[in-house]
Coordinates of all heavy atoms in Angstrom, one line a residue:
G861 N 44.2 16.0 72.4 CA 43.9 16.0 71.0 C 45.1 15.7 70.2 O 46.2 15.6 70.7
P862 N 44.9 15.6 68.9 CA 46.0 15.2 68.0 C 47.0 16.3 67.8 O 46.7 17.5 68.1 CB 45.3 14.8 66.7 CG 44.1 15.6 66.7 CD 43.6 15.7 68.1
E863 N 48.1 16.0 67.1 CA 49.0 17.0 66.7 C 48.2 17.9 65.7 O 47.4 17.4 64.9 CB 50.2 16.4 66.0 CG 51.2 15.9 66.9 CD 51.2 14.4 67.1 OE1 50.1 13.9 67.5 OE2 52.2 13.7 66.9
G864 N 48.5 19.2 65.7 CA 47.8 20.1 64.7 C 46.5 20.5 65.2 O 45.8 21.3 64.5
K867 N 46.5 23.0 70.5 CA 46.4 23.0 71.9 C 47.3 24.1 72.6 O 46.8 24.8 73.4 CB 46.8 21.7 72.6 CG 45.9 20.5 72.2 CD 46.2 19.3 73.0 CE 47.7 18.8 72.8 NZ 48.1 18.6 71.4
S868 N 48.5 24.2 72.1 CA 49.4 25.1 72.8 C 49.0 26.6 72.6 O 49.1 27.4 73.5 CB 50.9 24.9 72.4 OG 51.0 24.8 71.0
R889 N 53.1 21.6 80.2 CA 52.9 20.7 79.0 C 53.6 19.3 79.3 O 54.5 19.2 80.1 CB 53.5 21.3 77.8 CG 55.0 21.4 77.8 CD 55.6 21.5 76.4 NE 57.1 21.5 76.6 CZ 57.9 21.7 75.5 NH1 57.4 21.9 74.4 NH2 59.2 21.7 75.7
E890 N 53.2 18.3 78.6 CA 53.7 17.0 78.7 C 54.2 16.5 77.3 O 53.6 16.8 76.3 CB 52.6 16.0 79.1 CG 52.3 16.1 80.6 CD 52.1 14.7 81.1 OE1 52.5 13.7 80.4 OE2 51.6 14.6 82.2
P891 N 55.2 15.7 77.3 CA 56.1 15.4 78.4 C 57.0 16.6 78.7 O 57.4 17.3 77.8 CB 57.0 14.2 77.9 CG 56.9 14.3 76.4 CD 55.6 14.9 76.0
R901 N 62.1 14.4 78.4 CA 61.6 14.8 77.1 C 62.6 14.7 76.0 O 62.4 14.2 74.9 CB 61.0 16.2 77.1 CG 60.3 16.6 75.8 CD 59.9 18.1 75.9 NE 59.3 18.5 74.6 CZ 58.1 18.4 74.3 NH1 57.2 17.9 75.2 NH2 57.6 18.7 73.1
V905 N 62.4 12.6 72.5 CA 62.2 13.3 71.1 C 63.5 13.1 70.3 O 63.4 13.4 69.1 CB 61.8 14.8 71.2 CG1 60.5 14.9 71.9 CG2 62.9 15.6 71.9
E917 N 59.7 3.6 76.4 CA 59.0 4.9 76.0 C 57.9 5.2 77.0 O 57.8 6.4 77.6 CB 58.5 4.8 74.6 CG 57.9 6.1 74.1 CD 57.2 5.9 72.8 OE1 56.3 5.1 72.6 OE2 57.6 6.6 71.8
F921 N 57.5 8.5 79.6 CA 56.3 9.4 79.7 C 55.8 9.4 81.1 O 55.5 10.5 81.6 CB 55.2 8.9 78.8 CG 55.3 9.3 77.3 CD1 55.3 8.3 76.3 CD2 55.5 10.6 76.9 CE1 55.4 8.6 75.0 CE2 55.6 10.9 75.6 CZ 55.6 9.9 74.6
R925 N 55.7 12.4 84.0 CA 54.4 12.8 84.6 C 54.4 12.8 86.1 O 53.9 13.6 86.8 CB 53.3 11.9 84.0 CG 51.9 12.3 84.4 CD 50.9 11.6 83.6 NE 51.1 11.8 82.2 CZ 51.0 10.9 81.2 NH1 50.6 9.7 81.5 NH2 51.3 11.2 80.0
D946 N 48.8 20.8 78.9 CA 48.8 20.4 77.5 C 49.2 18.9 77.5 O 50.4 18.6 77.6 CB 49.8 21.3 76.8 CG 49.8 21.0 75.3 OD1 49.3 20.0 74.8 OD2 50.4 21.8 74.5
R947 N 48.2 18.0 77.4 CA 48.3 16.6 77.5 C 48.5 16.1 78.9 O 49.2 16.8 79.8 CB 49.5 16.0 76.7 CG 49.4 16.3 75.2 CD 50.4 15.5 74.4 NE 50.3 15.7 73.0 CZ 49.4 15.2 72.2 NH1 48.5 14.4 72.6 NH2 49.4 15.5 70.9
Y948 N 48.0 14.9 79.2 CA 48.2 14.2 80.5 C 47.9 12.7 80.3 O 48.1 12.2 79.2 CB 47.3 14.9 81.5 CG 47.4 14.5 83.0 CD1 48.6 14.8 83.7 CD2 46.4 13.8 83.7 CE1 48.8 14.4 85.0 CE2 46.6 13.4 85.0 CZ 47.8 13.8 85.7 OH 47.9 13.4 87.0
G949 N 47.5 12.0 81.3 CA 47.3 10.6 81.2 C 46.5 10.1 80.0 O 46.8 9.0 79.5
S951 N 46.6 11.0 77.1 CA 47.5 10.9 75.9 C 48.1 9.5 75.9 O 48.3 8.9 74.8 CB 48.6 11.9 75.9 OG 48.2 13.2 75.5
T952 N 48.5 9.0 77.1 CA 49.1 7.6 77.1 C 48.0 6.6 76.7 O 48.4 5.7 76.0 CB 49.6 7.4 78.6 OG1 50.4 8.4 79.0 CG2 50.3 6.0 78.6
L953 N 46.8 6.8 77.2 CA 45.8 5.8 76.8 C 45.5 5.9 75.3 O 45.3 4.8 74.6 CB 44.5 6.0 77.6 CG 44.6 5.8 79.1 CD1 43.4 6.2 79.9 CD2 44.9 4.3 79.5
Y955 N 47.4 7.2 72.7 CA 48.6 6.9 71.8 C 49.1 5.5 72.1 O 49.3 4.7 71.1 CB 49.7 8.0 72.0 CG 49.4 9.3 71.3 CD1 48.5 10.2 71.9 CD2 49.9 9.6 70.1 CE1 48.2 11.4 71.3 CE2 49.6 10.8 69.4 CZ 48.8 11.7 70.0 OH 48.5 12.9 69.4
Q956 N 49.5 5.2 73.3 CA 50.1 3.9 73.6 C 49.1 2.8 73.6 O 49.3 1.7 73.2 CB 50.9 3.9 74.9 CG 52.3 4.5 74.8 CD 52.3 6.0 74.5 OE1 51.6 6.8 75.1 NE2 53.1 6.4 73.5
H960 N 49.0 2.3 69.7 CA 50.0 1.2 69.5 C 49.4 -0.1 70.0 O 50.1 -1.1 70.0 CB 51.3 1.5 70.3 CG 52.0 2.7 69.7 ND1 52.5 2.6 68.4 CD2 52.4 3.9 70.1 CE1 53.1 3.7 68.1 NE2 53.1 4.5 69.1
K997 N 49.9 20.1 60.3 CA 51.3 19.9 60.8 C 52.3 20.0 59.7 O 53.4 20.5 59.9 CB 51.4 18.5 61.5 CG 52.5 18.5 62.5 CD 52.6 17.3 63.3 CE 53.8 17.4 64.2 NZ 54.3 16.1 64.6
H1014 N 46.8 7.5 63.5 CA 46.1 8.6 64.1 C 44.6 8.5 64.1 O 43.9 9.0 65.0 CB 46.5 9.9 63.4 CG 47.9 10.3 63.7 ND1 48.3 10.9 65.0 CD2 49.1 10.2 63.1 CE1 49.6 11.1 65.0 NE2 50.1 10.7 63.9
Ligands
LIG1211 P1 54.8 17.3 71.3 O1 55.9 17.8 70.4 O2 54.6 17.9 72.6 O3 53.5 17.4 70.4 P2 52.1 18.1 70.6 O4 52.4 19.6 70.3 O5 51.2 17.5 69.6 O6 51.6 17.9 72.0 O7 55.0 15.8 71.4 C1 54.2 15.0 72.1 C2 54.1 13.7 71.4 O8 54.1 12.6 72.3 C3 52.7 13.6 70.6 O9 52.9 12.9 69.4 C4 51.9 12.7 71.6 C5 53.0 11.8 72.2 N1 52.6 11.3 73.6 C6 52.4 10.0 73.8 O10 52.5 9.2 72.8 N2 52.1 9.6 75.0 C7 52.0 10.4 76.1 O11 51.7 10.0 77.2 C8 52.3 11.8 75.9 C9 52.2 12.8 77.0 C10 52.6 12.2 74.6

Side-chain angles (χ1 to χ4, degrees):
E863 281 100 305
K867 294 187 304 306
S868 51
R889 67 159 183 185
E890 282 221 17
R901 183 187 177 87
V905 301
E917 187 187 55
F921 279 124
R925 186 166 305 141
D946 186 343
R947 299 192 181 282
Y948 189 65
S951 281
T952 307
L953 295 173
Y955 283 79
Q956 277 67 49
H960 290 300
K997 204 177 176 205
H1014 288 285

